[in-house]
Amino acid sequence: MPQTPPFSAMFDSSGYNRNLYQSVEDSCGGLYYHDNNLLSGSLEALIQHLVPNVDYYPDRTYIFTFLLSSRLFMHPYELMAKVCHLCVEHQRLSDPNSDKNQIRKIAPKILQLLTEWTETFPYDFRDERMMRNLKDLAHRIASGEETYRKNVQQMIQCLIRKLAALSQYEEVLAKISSTSTDRLTVLKTKPQSIQRDIITVCSDPYTLAQQLTHIELERLNYIGPEEFVQAFVQKDPLDNDKSCYSERKKTRNLEAYVEWFNRLSYLVATEICMPVKKKHRARMIEYFIDVARECFNIGNFNSLMAIISGMNMSPVSRLKKTWAKVKTAKFDVLEHQMDPSSNFYNYRTALRGAAQRSLTAHSSREKIVIPFFSLLIKDIYFLNEGCANRLPNGHVNFEKFWELAKQVSEFMTWKQVECPFERDRKILQHLLTVPVFSEDALYLASYESEGPENHIEKDRWKSLRSSLLGRV
């Protein structure tokens, strides 16, 4: 069995390996090439190009790109049904008189294609129809040979393990979100008496940055590459106006990850606005500046950006007397790194540096690249919006999908990094479940710490006190 190489091996130095050498059928089979690069093709021809035969196996970059983008045109289970049909028909797998030698040549290739699909897009197989087709085709391959039977079993067991891990992860997320209900009650009693601040839970900012990195990598790891594409599914004009994802999505890991970013921002703002004493608030700001710096050094740009956005929330930034006690030079450097001007030029430069370091890394710590996730989604969104999925002649615009796959597969490399830091359950528990204030509660806490400065703030303070605390 050929081994599936790691994602980084799919690239050459110029970016995407697009040299898919034409066989005779391709040049006249509805696929259009330029300089050996596949630029477009009819959907049918692209599906044919995915299916191996005795003399041909598709390039791995093509498999990834087509499986990723095909869901814009058809459901994965529909594609799977077509692939199975082509495999069975072409190779006469259903014919009891077909040449055993022929089957011996083609079986490993079909098995390899199925293995790549189940390894890279396992969540597709949450659909019963996918699983049925997979098992049916795998059974046909395995019926003749003991070796193939073992490989098929291995592939299906590995897939089932991945799907079980996803279900377990979803249960944990559901449990966390059910405990993190509305936090206004925290304000009604004295918050300090019932809630320890983060510094008492973890006094070392370096350790906190490492625990944040644990959470980031775990959540990244569960995001399937197809979730990026599913987030932007439009109606396919050649598909009788039906959207491919009119059905319920199979996962929501991408949304859960964005929710984590928001939670971390609110957690930072809550920890800063909660202390009654100015010096405690200033100490908390300096603590988070150190955490953010360490996140930057680790390559954890998502936590870094969440911390900065928490510190820039109005209820925090209006605390002028508190900020006057803070040494802000280090914070200014971080803000400069994450400055949104020129399309986040400084951040993109730092990200490229981290990605470069990751490629030549000797330790898993140096491999860590956790991108600022909202910006990654935005980039993919604009790439998707900027080009049509189909050309005027009805061909699939494959040039666009090479670009899309290139961005998503870089992310795939980053999400597979093992976290090198020791887990601290107590700190992780605090980060994931401690009560955080809503925006209104943050404003109220902020006004209670440093009184309103004008009539607008005064009116807001009064209305918040009556609505949140039930007192004027």
Side-chain angles (χ1 to χ4, degrees), residues 301-320:
F301 298 107
N302 202 52
S303 289
L304 165 64
M305 198 53 121
I307 293 169
I308 290 175
S309 77
M311 291 168 107
N312 281 331
M313 278 185 191
S314 302
V316 177
S317 60
R318 67 169 293 283
L319 299 170
K320 299 198 176 58

Side-chain angles (χ1 to χ4, degrees), residues 25-177:
E25 309 95 294
D26 293 342
S27 48
C28 57
L31 296 180
Y32 173 70
Y33 288 83
H34 181 68
D35 288 345
N36 257 345
N37 289 340
L38 175 57
L39 299 187
S40 73
S42 69
L43 192 54
E44 282 307 313
L46 291 166
I47 296 170
Q48 294 268 3
H49 196 60
L50 180 70
V51 178
N53 60 39
V54 174
D55 309 308
Y56 163 79
Y57 186 78
D59 181 283
R60 185 164 186 242
T61 51
Y62 177 75
I63 296 173
F64 177 69
T65 305
F66 186 65
L67 290 181
L68 179 72
S69 55
S70 61
R71 59 202 70 235
L72 289 168
F73 307 99
M74 63 201 302
H75 281 287
Y77 77 84
E78 293 170 317
L79 176 62
M80 185 60 151
K82 281 183 185 280
V83 166
C84 291
H85 176 74
L86 288 171
C87 287
V88 171
E89 288 306 298
H90 277 187
Q91 312 315 328
R92 306 197 0 245
L93 291 180
S94 52
D95 180 356
N97 306 317
S98 64
D99 178 7
K100 280 274 183 283
N101 229 357
Q102 174 89 343
I103 291 178
R104 219 167 271 141
K105 280 184 196 159
I106 187 64
K109 291 181 174 177
I110 295 174
L111 193 52
Q112 176 64 8
L113 179 67
L114 296 178
T115 303
E116 296 216 18
W117 196 334
T118 55
E119 281 180 1
T120 316
F121 299 93
Y123 304 162
D124 284 352
F125 295 86
R126 279 190 138 181
D127 187 320
E128 274 306 307
R129 295 164 291 196
M130 288 288 289
M131 222 28 158
R132 254 201 319 276
N133 274 327
L134 173 72
K135 286 179 174 170
D136 178 55
L137 184 55
H139 174 72
R140 285 177 192 275
I141 293 169
S143 57
E145 293 274 340
E146 184 53 41
T147 339
Y148 302 146
R149 214 185 340 263
K150 269 195 196 132
N151 289 333
V152 163
Q153 271 175 337
Q154 218 174 343
M155 172 184 74
I156 289 174
Q157 277 165 359
C158 183
L159 174 61
I160 288 168
R161 268 200 305 275
K162 279 189 180 174
L163 295 180
L166 174 67
S167 298
Q168 214 174 345
Y169 168 69
E170 286 170 339
E171 278 170 31
V172 170
L173 286 189
K175 209 180 277 178
I176 288 170
S177 68

Side-chain angles (χ1 to χ4, degrees), residues 203-252:
S203 59
D204 177 26
Y206 294 102
T207 305
L208 194 81
Q210 294 176 357
Q211 298 311 304
L212 287 171
T213 304
H214 259 294
I215 295 172
E216 298 281 353
L217 282 172
E218 178 178 54
R219 296 200 170 203
L220 269 192
N221 185 42
Y222 279 100
I223 296 170
E226 73 285 355
E227 294 189 56
F228 290 102
V229 174
Q230 282 161 205
F232 312 131
V233 167
Q234 307 290 315
K235 288 185 167 60
D236 180 10
L238 297 188
D239 204 14
N240 306 326
D241 209 35
K242 76 166 183 176
S243 163
C244 294
Y245 276 81
S246 47
E247 286 191 22
R248 196 170 60 81
K249 279 191 355 180
K250 299 280 180 276
T251 49
R252 54 178 311 281

